[in-house]
Amino acid sequence: MTRKKIVAIGGGTGMPVLLRGLKQLPVDLSAIVTVADDGGSSGKLRTELAMPAPGDIRNVIAALADAEPMLIDLFQHRFKDGNGLSGHSMGNLLLAAMTSISGDFYNGIKEISRVLKVKGNIYPIANQNVVLHAEMTDGEIVTGESNIPLANKQIKRVFVSPLPVKPLPDAIEAIKQADLIVISPGSLYTSVMPNLIVPEIENALRDAPGKVVYVCNVMTQYGETTGYTAGDHIQAIHDHIGADIVSTIVVNNSQIEQDIRENYAEEHAEPVVYDISRLKSLGLEVVEADIIDHDQRKLRHDTHKIAKLLYAML
């Protein structure tokens, strides 16, 4: 029996959580990952080496790796001291080195994936350095992924430069062949949207035979989705790529404890309101389930619950 194919699209902290569960299942897995990050170690390497941002890719490699835990810890190690090294993570440096050796970012990813026994394929959304911009509702343009939430304004749309952004042909092919395409949870405008707005990706998603599922965030994010309901998330996606792509949304229906709510309130974040009737009026199939990890002090999607739920959709 041929294995079913799942493609995950996204970046940030939500994507690795999704992938860690899916890699345990008997599926062929591909991840299409944003390279628009410009903060911290990624930002420094982008500027100094004119390479795509490695940070989100690094986290996805670590999530899909089947290597010794010590090797993955080493790959994820972040230097605390040292003038030049402080803030850099080992994995980012290895990706930069391998890009330099192989002469190409994607080749570098493939080589490191081989060494760390990665289960699945990892595709950067672009093999080039891309910059993310946001147009705010008041008309201001904010440039740089890390600056967008700091502006703390309502976002009208995001866009990338320089154009055209050329996604890898293998990434487009993966979407065309997928039985299920999952838009991962994460920062809506700075981790998720940079992938979706690339025209070739958008067109491939529109024509894809597989079901396109959006796993909705559990909490709002200050400076990006303050006050957003699940319907607002979907409306933002519709405004960027049209209303005919996402068919299903997965939302959490389990109780969030008061002390966790209070922790998040200090970060000006609150649980996303799931406006089910509006979601249905937007034409979506709504899947409600307990998808959070209740053992964590930080709210995270539960990697096994969400994987099991998505697998059932196949």
Side-chain angles (χ1 to χ4, degrees):
M1 197 175 105
T2 55
R3 283 153 66 102
K4 296 282 192 181
K5 295 179 168 65
I6 297 181
V7 169
I9 301 177
T13 53
M15 187 144 184
V17 173
L18 195 74
L19 295 171
R20 271 194 291 275
L22 290 173
K23 81 168 177 183
Q24 314 291 346
L25 301 172
V27 295
D28 285 343
L29 198 52
S30 296
I32 299 173
V33 190
T34 181
V35 291
D37 182 16
D38 64 357
S41 171
S42 273
K44 288 179 198 163
L45 292 170
R46 276 185 64 150
T47 308
E48 289 172 26
L49 303 175
M51 66 180 280
D56 290 273
I57 294 278
R58 182 194 82 244
N59 287 327
V60 166
I61 290 174
L64 291 177
D66 209 14
E68 291 289 327
M70 177 56 85
L71 205 51
I72 298 169
D73 287 347
L74 175 67
F75 186 68
Q76 289 287 62
H77 175 73
R78 195 175 287 280
F79 293 96
K80 300 269 194 298
D81 309 310
N83 243 347
L85 279 177
S86 181
H88 277 302
S89 92
M90 189 70 190
N92 287 358
L93 295 173
L94 283 171
L95 279 163
M98 200 57 95
T99 299
S100 180
I101 290 167
S102 66
D104 178 89
F105 185 55
Y106 179 45
N107 285 340
I109 294 167
K110 284 194 287 192
E111 288 302 318
I112 287 181
S113 296
R114 197 170 51 80
V115 171
L116 291 178
K117 300 190 179 118
V118 159
K119 294 173 86 170
N121 301 302
I122 299 171
Y123 305 115
I125 190 65
N127 212 8
Q128 75 220 55
N129 206 337
V130 294
V131 178
L132 186 67
H133 312 269
E135 181 187 350
M136 303 302 178
T137 49
D138 66 0
E140 186 193 354
I141 305 282
V142 177
T143 293
E145 185 258 11
S146 57
N147 295 323
I148 291 167
L150 298 177
N152 192 24
K153 290 183 172 182
Q154 204 169 357
I155 298 167
K156 182 180 174 187
R157 67 179 184 112
V158 290
F159 58 100
V160 291
S161 68
L163 295 173
V165 175
K166 297 297 286 178
L168 294 156
D170 289 351
I172 301 296
E173 196 53 40
I175 291 172
K176 286 180 181 171
Q177 292 186 15
D179 298 289
L180 185 69
I181 298 153
V182 185
I183 300 171
S184 78
S187 301
L188 178 64
Y189 289 105
T190 53
S191 293
V192 176
M193 220 65 96
N195 300 293
L196 304 182
I197 58 177
V198 174
E200 282 183 59
I201 296 283
E202 179 188 324
N203 293 336
L205 287 171
R206 184 170 285 108
D207 298 338
K211 179 188 279 197
V212 180
V213 180
Y214 175 57
V215 180
C216 192
N217 291 325
V218 181
M219 303 297 287
T220 62
Q221 183 180 353
Y222 184 62
E224 274 201 47
T225 55
T226 305
Y228 270 43
T229 65
D232 293 329
H233 280 78
I234 291 297
Q235 189 59 56
I237 292 172
H238 285 184
D239 290 346
H240 279 77
I241 61 169
D244 51 352
I245 291 178
V246 179
S247 64
T248 306
I249 184 170
V250 175
V251 297
N252 170 59
N253 69 355
S254 65
Q255 194 58 38
I256 297 166
E257 286 76 13
Q258 189 56 36
D259 57 335
I260 291 180
R261 287 170 178 257
E262 285 165 10
N263 286 347
Y264 272 91
E266 289 171 22
E267 298 171 22
H268 308 286
E270 58 196 8
V272 172
V273 172
Y274 299 122
D275 40 354
I276 306 295
S277 57
R278 181 179 170 203
L279 290 167
K280 288 181 176 169
S281 75
L282 288 168
L284 271 87
E285 173 195 17
V286 181
V287 177
E288 298 180 73
D290 172 6
I291 51 172
I292 57 176
D293 182 346
H294 294 277
D295 296 332
Q296 301 284 343
R297 301 314 304 143
K298 272 300 231 191
L299 265 187
R300 291 276 176 266
H301 285 85
D302 185 296
T303 186
H304 301 296
K305 288 179 190 170
I306 196 81
K308 205 167 139 190
L309 182 74
L310 293 168
Y311 189 61
M313 289 184 187
L314 291 167

